[in-house]
Amino acid sequence: DAGVTQSPTHLIKTRGQQVTLRCSPISGHKSVSWYQQVLGQGPQFIFQYYEKEERGRGNFPDRFSARQFPNYSSELNVNALLLGDSALYLCASSLTRKRGTEAFFGQGTRLTVV
Amino acid sequence: AQRVTQPEKLLSVFKGAPVELKCNYSYSGSPELFWYVQYSRQRLQLLLRHISRESIKGFTADLNKGETSFHLKKPFAQEEDSAMYYCALSDLGNEKLTFGTGTRLTIIP
C-alpha cells in the first residue's frame, strides 16, 4: 500500500491564479481531510470530507473549496491566490470519522505563490 | 476555542538523557490527545494517543486534566528520536485535529 498520495509535490503559481491539489486516500478509507501548514507552524485544518460530503470546515475564506469523488479521492481548490497561501498542503485519510481515529498523512504539496 | 500549546520550538538533549516535550491544551470538554512525529524526509505519522495508554518507541504521555497537559516523555533518548514532534487535539464528533506549533527535538550523540 502506497499510503496517502498527493499530487503534485511542488508547484509555483502567480498571485491571482487558481490551483487544484489532488489526494488519493488509503484504499478503504472514506474520510479525507485537508490541512495547511505554513512554515514554522503546525498543520491547520481546512476541510473534512466523508462519504463525499463536507463534514467540517476550518477558518478559511471562501476562496478555498474542496470535493470528494465516488472513489474517495479528493481535490482542494484555491482561487485568487495570495502570497499568504504559500504553504505545505497536507491531505490525511482515515477509516472513519469517529473521534480518535488515526489520521494517515500524505507527503504534502508545496505551493509557492509569487 | 480549542488550542494546543507547545512552548519549546527547539529542544536538544544528550543521548541517554531523559526527554520531556511539553504540551498544554485548552478545550471545553473531554479531550482526545495525540502526539504526531515527523522524521527527516518522512511524512507526519501518529506516535501515540492518550486513549491507548501505550508506550511507543519508549515514549509515554499521560493526560493530566488538572494541569491540562499531555507531556511526552522518554527515560533514555536515542539518536533516532531526533525529529519534529506535534501535539494534537481531536475535536468532538469527528477526527479534525488541532495541532500545536511543534517542537524540534535534537539528540546530541
Side-chain angles (χ1 to χ4, degrees):
Chain A
D1 191 346
V4 178
T5 57
Q6 293 185 243
S7 63
T9 54
H10 299 82
L11 75 165
I12 300 173
K13 289 286 188 178
T14 303
R15 192 171 45 182
Q17 284 188 314
Q18 175 264 342
V19 68
T20 298
L21 311 181
R22 296 176 176 82
C23 171
S24 293
I26 291 173
S27 178
H29 285 194
K30 298 181 178 180
S31 177
V32 170
S33 297
W34 288 94
Y35 291 82
Q36 181 195 64
Q37 187 173 19
V38 174
L39 197 62
Q41 300 294 318
Q44 187 174 359
F45 174 76
I46 310 175
F47 283 111
Q48 181 197 37
Y49 275 78
Y50 181 76
E51 289 283 15
K52 302 177 285 293
E53 291 187 12
E54 182 182 305
R55 302 289 185 167
R57 184 184 183 114
N59 188 24
F60 280 81
D62 292 343
R63 298 184 297 107
F64 288 77
S65 63
R67 56 180 175 169
Q68 187 176 31
F69 298 98
N71 66 353
Y72 302 110
S73 67
S74 178
E75 287 182 350
L76 175 70
N77 296 283
V78 187
N79 293 323
L81 284 166
L82 304 175
L83 297 179
D85 295 331
S86 295
L88 180 68
Y89 288 85
L90 296 170
C91 174
S93 77
S94 56
L95 195 56
T96 72
R97 63 184 295 267
K98 290 182 181 178
R99 191 179 186 214
T101 301
E102 179 177 356
F104 293 83
F105 284 84
Q107 289 279 31
T109 294
R110 173 75 61 188
L111 171 64
T112 302
V113 182
V114 297
Chain B
Q2 59 206 51
R3 180 180 295 178
V4 176
T5 302
Q6 293 180 252
E8 305 138 328
K9 276 197 173 294
L10 303 170
L11 182 63
S12 294
V13 174
F14 284 101
K15 179 182 174 180
V19 176
E20 183 178 45
L21 285 77
K22 291 184 168 53
C23 172
N24 289 90
Y25 67 89
S26 62
Y27 184 68
S28 56
S30 183
E32 193 76 53
L33 286 153
F34 306 81
W35 278 98
Y36 277 81
V37 61
Q38 187 167 26
Y39 300 103
S40 179
R41 302 185 184 218
Q42 294 187 28
R43 60 189 65 192
L44 196 61
Q45 58 186 281
L46 179 67
L47 179 61
L48 56 79
R49 69 190 93 179
H50 93 272
I51 57 171
S52 301
R53 303 186 67 81
E54 57 192 346
S55 173
I56 304 294
K57 299 184 179 183
F59 284 98
T60 59
D62 291 320
L63 179 61
N64 186 323
K65 292 186 179 181
E67 296 183 357
T68 59
S69 68
F70 188 57
H71 303 328
L72 184 67
K73 300 178 183 179
K74 185 171 182 176
F76 307 104
Q78 298 173 295
E79 289 185 60
E80 55 264 35
D81 296 330
S82 292
M84 192 74 181
Y85 291 80
Y86 293 96
C87 182
L89 183 152
S90 178
D91 200 5
L92 181 66
N94 59 65
E95 83 272 23
K96 166 195 167 183
L97 294 168
T98 299
F99 286 87
T101 52
T103 298
R104 181 168 297 283
L105 175 65
T106 301
I107 306 303
I108 305 167

